[in-house]
Amino acid sequence: MINLFDFINEGIFADVDTIMQQGTTMIDTNTIEKWSTGEKCRITKKKNGYKITGDFKMTWDDTTYTGPKIVEVVGNFSISNSKLITLEGIFDPYETEITGTFTLENNDNLVSLSGCPMQVGTLTIANNKSLKDIDIAPHVLRNAYISKNGKRFKQDELAKKINVYKKRIDSC
């Protein structure tokens, strides 16, 4: 037999986990929608994060990322004018693929590409004043463009760290 206290608790708090999850999903969806740069964007909740379709430009006002995890991008994804130090927490580094261009530009605090997606169509890394080493990089299916970062990277040095399958690496 259930006592009155347990009966009331089960009735009042039975759906708390579901309601909390719905609230988190709504906040995550609103965050991703704010990044959308076009009229057409689609956000799909997956088991381990979000699949997003369209073009997105993310900014972040903190040095560490605490937002929704992106597991797939069908389109372009840019991280611009953020205060991030690394990319940890944004993507699933073992699974995430960006079919279009992945751009990192004007992120003054960025010192590491740790946490970057596993594979991208094209890679652009430009004007990141604190980036002095490409410690890890995604597989690039088309081209890679690296310029005006904290250090001038030599093309042969980049070729050892970035796998570009189709065309070339441009560095200046």
Side-chain angles (χ1 to χ4, degrees), residues 11-80:
I12 293 173
F13 298 117
D15 294 334
V16 167
D17 290 338
T18 303
I19 292 168
M20 293 290 287
Q21 184 58 44
Q22 289 172 342
T24 300
T25 300
M26 189 170 68
I27 290 168
D28 289 348
T29 301
N30 287 340
T31 300
I32 295 169
E33 284 175 348
K34 288 178 187 174
W35 300 339
S36 176
T37 61
E39 292 180 20
K40 294 182 181 181
C41 91
R42 189 167 62 201
I43 302 165
T44 307
K45 176 83 169 108
K46 300 279 190 174
K47 185 171 95 173
N48 56 343
Y50 291 88
K51 173 185 176 183
I52 58 178
T53 303
D55 296 330
F56 300 87
K57 185 175 185 178
M58 179 189 134
T59 59
W60 199 258
D61 292 332
D62 199 355
T63 57
T64 55
Y65 182 76
T66 57
K69 185 173 291 285
I70 307 300
V71 294
E72 184 178 353
V73 178
V74 179
N76 302 312
F77 195 89
S78 172
I79 301 174
S80 183

Side-chain angles (χ1 to χ4, degrees), residues 74-91:
V74 179
N76 302 312
F77 195 89
S78 172
I79 301 174
S80 183
N81 297 307
S82 78
K83 295 181 180 171
L84 292 169
I85 294 172
T86 70
L87 306 177
E88 291 177 6
I90 302 170
F91 308 103

Side-chain angles (χ1 to χ4, degrees), residues 62-161:
D62 199 355
T63 57
T64 55
Y65 182 76
T66 57
K69 185 173 291 285
I70 307 300
V71 294
E72 184 178 353
V73 178
V74 179
N76 302 312
F77 195 89
S78 172
I79 301 174
S80 183
N81 297 307
S82 78
K83 295 181 180 171
L84 292 169
I85 294 172
T86 70
L87 306 177
E88 291 177 6
I90 302 170
F91 308 103
D92 181 335
Y94 304 106
E95 297 290 327
T96 303
E97 178 181 347
I98 298 174
T99 62
T101 300
F102 178 47
T103 303
L104 296 166
E105 63 183 353
N106 302 315
N107 299 292
D108 291 342
N109 297 335
L110 190 68
V111 297
S112 171
L113 299 184
S114 179
C116 69
M118 182 181 85
Q119 182 170 291
V120 301
T122 298
L123 177 64
T124 301
I125 303 171
N127 301 313
N128 301 292
K129 295 177 184 175
S130 297
L131 188 64
K132 297 182 177 154
D133 185 26
I134 304 291
D135 53 344
I136 188 168
H139 296 288
V140 181
L141 299 178
R142 291 182 290 279
N143 297 317
Y145 304 98
I146 292 91
S147 66
K148 299 180 183 173
N149 294 290
K151 172 188 171 186
R152 183 181 171 111
F153 298 102
K154 295 180 181 174
Q155 209 162 354
D156 59 336
E157 178 184 322
L158 288 171
K160 294 175 187 173
K161 297 183 178 194

